[in-house]
Amino acid sequence: MNTESNIRLLVDTLTEQREKFLTQWTRTVGEDLRGRLSTAELGRELGELYDAVLEAMTAGSLDSRGEHFAETRSLLIELSRNRARQGFTPTETVRSVFALKEVLEPSLTGDADSARAYLQFARLLDGLGLLTSEAYLRTREEIISSQAEQLLELSTPVVKLWDGVVGVPLVGTLDSARTQVVMEKLLQTLVDTDSTHAIIDITGVPTVDTQVAQHLLKTVVAARMMGAQCTISGIRPQIAQTIVALGIEFGDIPTNASLSDALRQALKEVALDAEDDVRGLL
Amino acid sequence: MTDRVPVLKIGEVLLVSIQTDLDDQMVLDLQEDLSNRIVATGAKGVVIDISALEIVDSFVGRMLAHNAAVSRILGAETIVVGMRPAVAMTLVELGLSMSGVRTALNLERGLKLLRRIAAGRA
C-alpha cells in the first residue's frame, strides 16, 4: 500500500466520522484545559483546524511544512499565541494537537493497512505539534522582551521640579543599559524644558560600586556638556561610607544628602539668574 | 570644496554657527578665521552654535577645546551652545569631557552667560 492510498483512507475516515472525532477531540482537550476555555470556543477552534487539515490532505499532502498546510499552520500559530497569552502551559497547548492521535487510534488500528496510515498521520501531527510549541515559545519571548522594555521605561522617569530644574529619581540598580536610557531621557528633557539644573536622586539605588559611580559620572558630564548644572542627591550614610572606602572620586560634582537640599541650592541659583535679568544687567 | 564657516559679529560677540558636518580642512580654516577675527574686532566673547551637528568626532571635539583656549588667550570667552543629547552622549563615551569649554543649552542662554561673565558674575 502506498502513500496515496493511505491518504485516501485517512481522508475517507476523517470525512465520514467528522462529527464523532471532533466531539471526542474537543472533549479530550477540554478535560486537559479543565474548563479554562469555553467548550463552544474550543469546538470552533478545533473545528477550523480539523477542516484545514482535512482540506490539505484531500489535496494529497502529508507534509506539515508543505504549501498545502499553510492554512493549518497559520491556524496553529494563532491558537498557540492565544494560549500563551492566556497563560496555558506548553504541555497543555501542544496536547491540543496530540489529542487527535488518541481520538483516531481506536478507529484506525483495526488492520495493518489502516495502522500504517495511522502512523503516517501520527507523523504529520508530530510535525504540527512541534510547530505549535515553537510558536508558543516565540510568543512568550515576545511578551518577555516587551515587558523588559516597559520595565526600563517605568523605572526611569524624569520629572520637572521647578521652572528650569528637572529631577531624576533613580530606583534600582544602575547598569549600562539603564544609564543609557536615563542619560537619553534626562538630556532630552533638558532641551525640551529649557532647564539649566538637573538633580539625580539616588535614594532608591541600593548600592553604589565603582561601576555605578562611573555611570553616574558619565551622566553628569554629559549634562554639563549640554550646559546644565548637575547635582547628585540622596546619598545615604552607608553609601557615603562605601564611596569613600572604594576611593571613588566625584571630583567637582556637587553632592547633597537630600533632594530638598539639592533643590534649595538649584532654586537659589535659578533665582540669582532671574535677579540679574530683572535688574537689566543682562 | 573650500567651504568656510562664517564668523558673524554682533556687538562684542562673535557668532559661529556650524550648519554642516565639518571636514578637517574646514576645521583648520575655522580655527584660523576665528583667531584672526577676534584680534581684528577685539571681541570679548565667542559663541559657537553646534545645534545642527549630528556627529561630533574627537577631532571636532578637540577643535572646540583648542578654540576655547586660543580665544581665552586673546581675551575672549568661548561658549559652545546647542549640543544635542546624542552628541553629548557620544563625547562622553569617547572620554572627552571638554572640561575647559563653557557650554549653554541654547544660543539665548549662551549670550546671557557671556554678559554675565562680562559683568563678573559667573
Side-chain angles (χ1 to χ4, degrees):
Chain A
M1 223 171 131
N2 54 19
T3 311
E4 277 96 70
S5 53
N6 279 342
I7 293 177
R8 210 175 309 123
L9 176 72
L10 282 170
V11 170
D12 288 346
T13 321
L14 283 171
T15 316
E16 266 168 38
Q17 310 187 48
R18 181 179 183 276
E19 291 311 312
K20 187 185 126 197
F21 286 152
L22 205 52
T23 318
Q24 270 184 21
W25 192 17
T26 312
R27 187 160 8 101
T28 318
V29 177
E31 277 165 16
D32 273 353
L33 302 183
R34 282 185 296 276
R36 274 176 292 167
L37 211 63
S38 75
T39 319
E41 169 90 349
L42 194 61
R44 192 185 51 77
E45 269 181 6
L46 297 183
E48 278 175 10
L49 199 58
Y50 189 95
D51 293 337
V53 171
L54 198 54
E55 202 177 301
M57 281 167 57
T58 315
S61 170
L62 269 179
D63 174 18
S64 64
R65 301 197 174 273
E67 56 173 323
H68 293 302
F69 278 92
E71 166 81 9
T72 315
R73 283 198 298 270
S74 65
L75 278 175
L76 275 177
I77 288 169
E78 183 64 33
L79 180 137
S80 47
R81 267 174 187 280
N82 290 338
R83 293 280 203 279
R85 289 220 179 84
Q86 288 156 349
F88 290 100
T89 67
T91 313
E92 284 165 340
T93 309
V94 180
R95 275 274 291 162
S96 299
V97 177
F98 288 158
L100 187 57
K101 279 204 255 181
E102 288 165 34
V103 173
L104 288 177
E105 200 178 319
S107 324
L108 276 171
T109 43
D111 56 78
D113 281 347
S114 44
R116 226 170 279 133
Y118 172 73
L119 282 178
Q120 281 190 327
F121 188 66
R123 203 177 303 143
L124 167 72
L125 283 184
D126 287 345
L128 293 176
L130 281 177
L131 194 93
T132 313
S133 67
E134 248 169 50
Y136 178 92
L137 270 181
R138 212 165 28 239
T139 310
R140 286 296 280 260
E141 267 159 25
E142 276 166 22
I143 292 174
I144 290 169
S145 66
S146 83
Q147 277 174 346
E149 221 166 83
Q150 283 169 6
L151 213 60
L152 214 55
E153 291 275 311
L154 271 182
S155 57
T156 52
V158 177
V159 291
K160 185 175 174 182
L161 295 174
W162 205 271
D163 277 343
V165 185
V166 294
V168 191
L170 283 180
V171 177
T173 333
L174 208 58
D175 57 17
S176 52
R178 265 194 77 194
T179 311
Q180 193 76 12
V181 177
V182 171
M183 217 195 271
E184 235 167 81
K185 276 183 108 174
L186 172 61
L187 300 186
Q188 194 54 51
T189 314
L190 285 176
V191 175
D192 293 346
T193 60
D194 190 21
S195 300
T196 50
H197 289 77
I199 302 169
I200 300 177
D201 187 76
I202 59 166
T203 312
V205 178
T207 51
V208 173
D209 54 15
T210 41
Q211 196 84 35
V212 173
Q214 191 67 33
H215 291 321
L216 281 173
L217 288 180
K218 267 188 191 173
T219 312
V220 173
V221 171
R224 271 191 181 176
M225 268 199 282
M226 304 253 317
Q229 296 277 341
C230 203
T231 311
I232 297 175
S233 77
I235 301 176
R236 282 173 283 130
Q238 305 97 299
I239 300 251
Q241 301 266 10
T242 328
I243 288 174
V244 173
L246 285 173
I248 297 167
E249 279 291 332
F250 272 123
D252 56 346
I253 294 164
T255 49
N256 281 94
S258 72
L259 180 58
S260 63
D261 289 345
L263 183 58
R264 188 174 299 130
Q265 185 62 36
L267 287 179
K268 223 178 262 172
E269 283 167 25
V270 170
L272 216 64
D273 292 355
E275 214 174 276
D276 285 350
D277 289 353
V278 172
R279 274 203 208 140
L281 176 68
L282 304 172
Chain B
M1 288 295 285
T2 50
D3 280 343
R4 289 180 105 89
V5 180
V7 179
L8 311 170
K9 181 174 176 293
I10 310 169
E12 291 202 310
V13 177
L14 291 180
L15 173 62
V16 181
S17 180
I18 301 174
Q19 296 294 332
T20 52
D21 288 338
L22 300 176
D23 59 38
D24 294 0
Q25 189 54 48
M26 286 168 82
V27 170
L28 296 175
D29 288 346
L30 176 59
Q31 280 183 354
E32 207 181 302
D33 287 356
L34 192 56
S35 45
N36 286 339
R37 290 276 290 182
I38 293 171
V39 174
T41 59
K44 292 281 165 266
V46 176
V47 176
I48 302 179
D49 174 32
I50 58 167
S51 58
L53 287 191
E54 284 179 27
I55 299 163
V56 172
D57 56 16
S58 56
F59 187 66
V60 175
R62 266 208 313 280
M63 176 273 279
L64 292 173
H66 180 86
N67 268 348
V70 169
S71 308
R72 197 166 299 132
I73 290 174
L74 296 173
E77 194 66 43
T78 302
I79 319 276
V80 173
V81 303
M83 188 183 290
R84 292 187 179 207
V87 170
M89 280 160 49
T90 320
L91 287 178
V92 170
E93 292 302 327
L94 285 174
L96 281 172
S97 64
M98 310 237 298
S99 44
V101 185
R102 280 178 183 257
T103 51
L105 218 50
N106 50 40
L107 180 59
E108 191 185 4
R109 286 195 183 278
L111 289 173
K112 267 189 195 171
L113 181 57
L114 268 182
R115 287 189 219 129
R116 196 165 289 141
I117 292 166
R121 287 186 64 102

